[in-house]
């Protein structure tokens, strides 16, 4: 992923870094763009409506 984005809150460039996504008490480490100042994370639409949605449905079916 090579997207140049600035944090909407702080106005500083977002950087690629490890974050933990949590859903139904399960944590998933993933690399996403995040703000080095406030920690806000950018989740691309294709990830949210693709892999993340698949994982959510799999966890809900358990």
């Amino acid at each position: 992923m090579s997207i140049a984005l600035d944090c909407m809150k702080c106005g500083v460039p977002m950087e690629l870094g490890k974050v933990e996504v949590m859903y139904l008490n399960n944590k998933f480490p993933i690399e996403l763009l995040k703000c080095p100042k406030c920690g806000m994370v950018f989740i691309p639409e294709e990830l949210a409506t693709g892999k993340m949605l698949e994982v959510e449905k799999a966890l809900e079916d358990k």
Side-chain angles (χ1 to χ4, degrees):
M1 176 171 39
S2 60
I3 303 171
L5 293 175
D6 291 339
C7 176
M8 292 184 69
K9 180 178 178 185
C10 304
V12 298
M14 298 184 89
E15 300 173 351
L16 194 60
K18 288 195 175 198
V19 299
E20 284 191 341
V21 177
M22 188 169 180
Y23 189 73
L24 294 177
N25 296 322
N26 295 285
K27 289 182 182 178
F28 306 95
I30 187 171
E31 278 202 352
L32 291 171
L33 289 175
K34 67 178 182 179
C35 176
K37 190 173 178 181
C38 72
M40 183 174 293
V41 175
F42 173 72
I43 300 174
E45 182 178 353
E46 61 271 6
L47 178 62
T49 59
K51 188 67 176 176
M52 290 180 97
L53 185 60
E54 288 176 23
V55 171
E56 286 176 4
K57 287 181 180 176
L59 289 171
E60 290 171 359
D61 289 341
K62 282 187 175 180

